[in-house]
C-alpha cells in the first residue's frame, strides 16, 4: 500500500501475472484482467492480422511513442490510426497529474506517477525504473505558465519535459505499456546496438512473430544464429510458468529469453525453474548484446 492507503502499481502487475482469486484484488480489478498471458496474447492477436511491414511499424510505434498529442500520433500512424484502441486520454488519469502536468519517464517514455507530498510538492516517479533514477520531486508553480521543473533523479538522459494533463494528449494503456512498450523498447535497443556490425543481420518478428528477433551471422563471419524473445514481466515465477506451458520451439537453436538488465539478480531463480527446458536460455538484454559482440570480435 502507498502512503495514501491505495494499492501500488506493482500489485496490479502481479495480480495480472498470477491467477490468484484474492477478494481484495477482485474489489479493484475484474477477474478478466488477472491473467497476464491471455492479455498479452490478445494484444498480439489484434495486430498479427496486419501485413508484416505494418505489424513491425505498429510494434515500433508503441515502443517509441507511448504518449503524444493526437495530431502527432495521427501523423506517425498514418492509415493505421484508429484501427486499434491502444491509447487513452491522459486527462482521465489523475494518478499522473502533477498540478496539471504529466511527465514521461526518461527510460520508457510513459507517464510517471505523481503523488502529492505536502506543501505543494509532488513526488514523481516510474516504479519500474526507480533503479535507473526515474524518481523526482517538483513544486507547484502557481504563477508560472509552463510545467514545474523536476528535481532529483539519477537518469543521464537530460531534462524531462512535461506536457499538459489535458487536451489531446494520449498514452497507451497500462496493459499495452507492460506487454508491448516495455519489451518493445528492449527489442529495438538490441536491434540498434547490433546495427552496422559487418556480417550481422537482425530480423524483427520472424516466422509470423513466433519470437521477437532473429540475429544471423554470415560472411565474413562464421554462420551463427540467435533467436530472441523479450519479456518485461514483474513476476519471474509467473513468467516461468508461462514459458513452461509453451511448446518446444524446435530446431537446434535455443530461444533466448531476455529480461531487463535491472532484473539480473533474479536470473538464477528463473534459470532453476527452466532447468528442464534446454530449448530455453535466459539472460539480460545487455548481456545478450555483449555476448554477440564478443562472438563477432572472436571471429578470424
Amino acid at each position: 500500500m502507498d502512503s495514501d492507503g491505495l494499492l501500488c502499481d506493482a500489485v496490479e502487475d502481479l495480480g495480472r501475472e498470477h491467477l490468484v482469486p484474492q477478494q481484495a484484488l477482485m474489489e479493484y480489478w475484474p477477474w478478466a484482467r488477472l491473467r497476464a498471458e491471455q492479455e498479452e496474447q490478445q494484444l498480439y492477436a489484434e495486430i498479427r492480422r496486419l501485413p508484416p511491414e505494418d505489424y513491425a511499424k505498429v510494434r515500433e510505434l508503441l515502443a517509441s511513442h507511448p504518449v503524444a498529442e493526437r495530431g502527432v500520433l495521427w501523423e506517425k500512424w498514418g492509415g493505421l490510426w484508429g484501427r486499434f484502441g491502444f491509447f487513452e486520454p491522459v486527462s482521465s488519469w489523475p494518478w499522473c497529474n502533477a498540478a496539471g502536468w504529466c511527465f514521461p519517464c526518461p527510460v520508457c517514455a510513459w507517464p510517471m506517477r505523481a503523488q502529492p507530498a505536502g506543501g505543494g510538492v509532488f513526488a514523481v516517479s516510474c516504479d519500474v525504473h526507480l533503479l535507473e533514477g526515474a524518481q523526482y520531486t517538483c513544486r507547484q508553480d502557481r504563477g508560472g505558465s509552463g510545467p514545474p521543473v523536476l528535481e532529483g533523479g539519477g537518469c543521464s538522459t537530460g531534462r524531462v519535459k512535461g506536457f499538459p494533463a489535458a487536451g489531446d494528449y494520449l498514452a497507451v494503456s497500462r496493459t499495452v505499456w507492460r506487454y508491448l512498450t516495455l519489451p518493445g523498447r528492449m527489442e529495438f535497443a538490441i536491434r540498434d546496438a547490433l546495427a552496422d556490425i559487418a556480417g550481422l543481420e537482425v530480423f524483427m518478428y520472424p516466422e509470423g512473430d513466433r519470437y521477437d528477433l532473429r540475429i544471423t551471422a554470415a560472411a565474413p563471419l562464421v554462420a551463427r544464429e540467435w533467436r530472441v524473445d523479450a519479456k518485461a514481466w514483474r513476476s519471474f515465477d509467473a513468467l516461468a510458468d508461462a514459458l513452461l506451458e509453451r511448446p518446444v520451439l524446435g530446431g537446434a537453436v535455443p530461444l533466448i529469453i531476455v529480461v531487463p538488465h535491472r532484473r539480473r539478480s533474479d536470473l538464477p531463480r528463473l534459470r532453476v525453474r527452466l532447468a528442464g527446458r534446454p530449448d530455453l536460455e535466459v539472460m539480460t538484454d545487455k548481456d545478450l548484446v555483449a555476448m554477440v559482440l564478443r562472438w563477432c570480435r572472436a571471429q578470424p
Side-chain angles (χ1 to χ4, degrees):
M1 309 291 283
D2 63 21
S3 58
D4 297 321
L6 301 175
L7 289 174
C8 296
D9 294 336
V11 178
E12 178 172 358
D13 296 332
L14 292 170
R16 291 167 178 268
E17 294 170 3
H18 288 275
L19 191 63
V20 181
Q22 296 283 354
Q23 185 60 35
L25 281 179
M26 294 293 291
E27 294 176 3
Y28 287 88
W29 299 293
W31 178 265
R33 298 177 64 184
L34 292 181
R35 184 51 174 157
E37 181 76 2
Q38 293 174 351
E39 283 194 335
E40 188 177 10
Q41 293 305 315
Q42 287 170 0
L43 287 174
Y44 290 132
E46 287 190 56
I47 55 177
R48 278 186 175 133
R49 293 187 290 269
L50 293 171
E53 297 79 9
D54 289 341
Y55 177 85
K57 178 181 179 180
V58 168
R59 292 290 301 271
E60 187 159 13
L61 285 171
L62 292 174
S64 61
H65 291 81
V67 59
E69 281 189 285
R70 186 185 301 270
V72 173
L73 293 170
W74 186 290
E75 179 181 353
K76 289 186 175 296
W77 281 66
L80 294 170
W81 179 250
R83 295 180 59 180
F84 309 100
F86 293 146
F87 287 85
E88 301 175 3
V90 297
S91 59
S92 65
W93 294 354
W95 55 266
C96 64
N97 187 324
W101 296 89
C102 293
F103 296 90
C105 171
V107 181
C108 67
W110 201 60
M112 292 188 283
R113 178 171 290 277
Q115 292 181 297
V121 175
F122 288 85
V124 180
S125 64
C126 175
D127 71 308
V128 169
H129 296 113
L130 287 175
L131 294 179
E132 284 87 340
Q135 185 174 20
Y136 307 85
T137 59
C138 69
R139 184 175 297 276
Q140 185 175 1
D141 185 3
R142 299 185 183 278
S145 58
V149 177
L150 296 185
E151 299 178 356
C155 292
S156 59
T157 53
R159 180 177 174 180
V160 178
K161 184 178 180 181
F163 60 89
D168 286 336
Y169 278 91
L170 304 175
V172 297
S173 69
R174 185 176 184 87
T175 301
V176 174
W177 173 66
R178 290 293 307 178
Y179 300 125
L180 291 176
T181 300
L182 291 180
R185 292 181 79 86
M186 282 196 292
E187 295 157 10
F188 291 104
I190 292 170
R191 179 201 64 181
D192 294 343
L194 298 177
D196 303 323
I197 305 297
L200 277 187
E201 289 188 277
V202 181
F203 302 90
M204 303 298 295
Y205 315 118
E207 301 181 32
D209 195 21
R210 293 183 68 197
Y211 46 93
D212 295 325
L213 303 98
R214 183 172 71 239
I215 306 165
T216 62
L221 301 173
V222 177
R224 179 72 188 272
E225 178 181 328
W226 297 266
R227 299 177 179 181
V228 181
D229 213 16
K231 295 294 183 183
W233 286 44
R234 176 87 61 171
S235 167
F236 274 13
D237 287 329
L239 174 59
D241 290 340
L243 292 173
L244 289 171
E245 292 173 1
R246 279 186 171 190
V248 176
L249 189 62
V253 180
L255 180 65
I256 300 175
I257 306 298
V258 297
V259 299
H261 192 67
R262 64 180 178 275
R263 303 294 306 276
R264 58 191 178 277
S265 62
D266 296 319
L267 280 179
R269 184 172 64 180
L270 183 58
R271 288 179 176 134
V272 169
R273 289 289 313 278
L274 300 177
R277 289 288 300 269
D279 59 309
L280 298 175
E281 295 182 8
V282 290
M283 64 183 66
T284 71
D285 49 348
K286 290 185 179 180
D287 289 341
L288 170 72
V289 171
M291 178 187 70
V292 174
L293 293 178
R294 282 197 306 270
W295 184 88
C296 290
R297 287 194 293 266
Q299 301 310 301

